[in-house]
Amino acid sequence: MEPEIPNGRVTPPDDASHRRPSAPLVYRVAAKCSVTKARVGVMSVRHADVDTPVFMPVGTQGTLKGILPEQLLELDCRIMLGNTYHLGMRPGTDVLEKAGGLHQFMGWPRALLTDSGGFQMVSLLQLAEITEQGVRFQSPYDGSECMLTPERSMEIQNAIGADIMMQLDDVVKTTTTGPRVEEAMHRTIRWLDRSIAAHGRDDEQSIFPIVQGGLQPDLRRVCADELTKRNTRGFAVGGLSGGESKDDFWRTVHLCTDLLPEDKPRYLMGVGFAADLVVCVALGVDMFDCVFPTRTARFGCALTRAGQINLKQRTFAQDMRPIEEDCGCTTCRTYTRAYLHHIVTVEPVACSIVSVHNVAFQLRLMGDMRDAIEEDRFPEFVKSYMAVRFPDDSIPQWIRDALAAVNVPL
């Protein structure tokens, strides 16, 4: 039975332990946009009630670079990511199990999602070989030969204890064409079945399958049709944000959200630019993740509604305004652009200060979109956002086309 959530709002996440959902993941749609495919939902897992659409910061090694767990709590972040490949290599499952899982190990009381590790091995490692058994690769830590199979990925993720786990999928570069794309799609389906069979904590953790098929609509349809036959609690769309054209990107997202069930959360992997988030929420996506907010902070760049600003530029040397006037994060309440210009890329603490703002920016953008959807003014929000982000009628054509497809002409 779904938990009662009055007026589409969640109780504070710290109360989640007092009324855990009847299943490891319970999702319900609380409000729908009457024009686009955007919707607001509540995803209740063991450690938090997560309002969707949601942006999930990425803590690859079990830590968000430059931000403490208590700072994330102050920002009311409900869910963050860890990475199976990195955590499985170091510290390893023995340490994670001894610690009682990643929540205890890193001191994070709210929800966790773990990626399977397949993407990292294919994208980051030169010596990787994919076979039906799994992915064979060379450890970057000691050079030893390792094998990550769907079963081993589940074993690591069960030790991590994340609320949501991604299946190991056969990852190919987005722009790949030819028979390799179809091979990877079918193998991803087979690996899902092996992952489900190996999953040892189904009463506590939920597997999300990953829709693959490159930029070929027919393959995406076949994959989604097969994956939705399995009894899983949510779905991910993978294989995008890897160099494909934005036109191919939005059309694939639009297709996949049409193919996936209405009553389960839809997660678009690796997407984090603000304009992309707005477009993809309109296309019906519920969950997003990306390293971008913290990575760009390490280069001295801060996020604003008008776009990214580079605080290293001398134009900010005497600018006594905060990064954003209407932002309530500790960075904007405390520091000026001039001060941040003075310390960025020079003092290590600058990374933390700017990262706090950038994550706060992403979370506030998602909150503003949820409010707009609940009040059924999301199309107006989208138009207002795009006018600020792209002044002088400079909105990219792909954004115009994507929004027109869901009845929001710009």
Side-chain angles (χ1 to χ4, degrees):
M1 183 177 179
E2 292 183 351
E4 284 296 317
I5 302 167
N7 302 320
R9 307 308 302 162
V10 299
T11 55
D14 295 327
D15 293 341
S17 61
H18 299 300
R19 54 164 200 79
R20 287 183 178 175
S22 54
L25 187 153
V26 175
Y27 174 76
R28 79 175 185 92
V29 177
K32 290 183 180 181
C33 173
S34 61
V35 176
T36 70
K37 295 197 287 183
R39 73 254 190 96
V40 166
V42 182
M43 182 175 66
S44 296
V45 295
R46 286 182 306 143
H47 291 90
D49 290 331
V50 180
D51 291 339
T52 64
V54 63
F55 177 81
M56 305 177 288
V58 179
T60 302
Q61 303 271 11
T63 178
L64 205 64
K65 286 183 171 64
I67 303 184
L68 297 170
E70 49 263 42
Q71 291 175 301
L72 281 177
L73 292 174
E74 186 176 340
L75 294 174
D76 197 23
C77 176
R78 309 279 181 93
I79 182 169
M80 64 176 288
L81 261 70
N83 183 267
T84 300
Y85 160 70
H86 289 290
L87 292 167
M89 296 295 294
R90 186 173 60 91
T93 53
D94 289 347
V95 172
L96 288 166
E97 287 173 346
K98 187 173 183 179
L102 185 58
H103 286 92
Q104 295 292 327
F105 192 51
M106 67 179 287
W108 174 245
R110 294 186 180 172
L112 281 170
L113 182 151
T114 41
D115 191 5
S116 67
F119 173 80
Q120 281 69 29
M121 286 179 299
V122 175
S123 64
L124 302 180
L125 301 178
Q126 294 178 337
L127 300 175
E129 177 193 4
I130 300 175
T131 67
E132 188 62 28
Q133 184 183 359
V135 185
R136 188 183 307 279
F137 63 98
Q138 189 176 53
S139 167
Y141 298 106
D142 61 11
S144 63
E145 188 175 275
C146 306
M147 169 69 81
L148 186 67
T149 63
E151 293 79 10
R152 177 58 179 158
S153 178
M154 284 294 105
E155 182 185 354
I156 298 168
Q157 293 189 79
N158 284 157
I160 290 170
D163 300 85
I164 300 171
M165 312 181 298
M166 307 310 298
Q167 73 155 115
L168 183 66
D169 53 339
D170 185 354
V171 180
V172 296
K173 186 172 172 55
T174 307
T175 52
T176 301
T177 57
R180 177 71 182 98
V181 181
E182 183 170 5
E183 176 192 52
M185 182 272 291
H186 285 295
R187 181 174 286 143
T188 292
I189 297 167
R190 294 192 296 273
W191 282 4
L192 171 63
D193 290 334
R194 287 170 58 186
S195 298
I196 291 171
H199 182 17
R201 298 177 63 184
D202 188 55
D203 58 335
E204 298 178 285
Q205 300 174 267
S206 298
I207 297 177
F208 278 23
I210 303 173
V211 179
Q212 292 288 2
L215 304 177
Q216 300 180 43
D218 289 348
L219 296 185
R220 291 279 179 173
R221 288 189 182 92
V222 170
C223 192
D225 181 61
E226 283 298 318
L227 298 185
T228 52
K229 293 175 183 175
R230 277 69 174 171
N231 184 26
T232 61
R233 302 180 185 108
F235 296 89
V237 176
L240 293 174
S241 292
E244 75 279 3
S245 73
K246 285 292 192 179
D247 195 57
D248 285 333
F249 166 77
W250 81 258
R251 292 180 190 279
T252 304
V253 172
H254 189 30
L255 171 66
C256 290
T257 55
D258 278 347
L259 297 172
L260 293 173
E262 280 264 326
D263 61 345
K264 295 183 179 181
R266 307 160 181 159
Y267 165 30
L268 179 58
M269 305 177 75
V271 171
F273 293 152
D276 294 5
L277 297 176
V278 174
V279 170
C280 291
V281 165
L283 295 176
V285 176
D286 306 302
M287 303 164 64
F288 305 87
D289 81 283
C290 193
V291 298
F292 169 67
T294 46
R295 177 175 288 170
T296 199
R298 296 196 292 277
F299 292 97
C301 296
L303 306 180
T304 77
R305 283 291 172 98
Q308 183 172 286
I309 61 173
N310 186 342
L311 292 163
K312 297 191 297 291
Q313 294 177 347
R314 291 197 56 80
T315 183
F316 299 113
Q318 298 186 47
D319 190 336
M320 298 302 162
R321 295 174 296 166
I323 295 172
E324 281 201 301
E325 299 279 3
D326 60 346
C327 179
C329 76
T330 54
T331 298
C332 289
R333 294 201 310 266
T334 310
Y335 304 106
T336 64
R337 294 178 177 191
Y339 175 71
L340 295 172
H341 167 78
H342 172 61
I343 64 169
V344 289
T345 71
V346 178
E347 300 296 338
V349 74
C351 163
S352 176
I353 293 172
V354 180
S355 290
V356 165
H357 166 77
N358 285 356
V359 171
F361 172 87
Q362 300 285 95
L363 299 182
R364 184 162 62 104
L365 173 62
M366 305 311 291
D368 289 347
M369 284 195 278
R370 291 194 299 268
D371 290 344
I373 296 164
E374 287 189 326
E375 295 164 13
D376 206 14
R377 52 177 179 82
F378 184 64
E380 291 74 22
F381 171 88
V382 171
K383 291 176 182 178
S384 173
Y385 173 85
M386 293 299 172
V388 173
R389 177 63 186 86
F390 301 103
D392 305 321
D393 204 31
S394 61
I395 300 171
Q397 188 60 44
W398 78 269
I399 291 180
R400 293 182 183 274
D401 292 343
L403 293 172
V406 285
N407 310 307
V408 183
L410 296 178

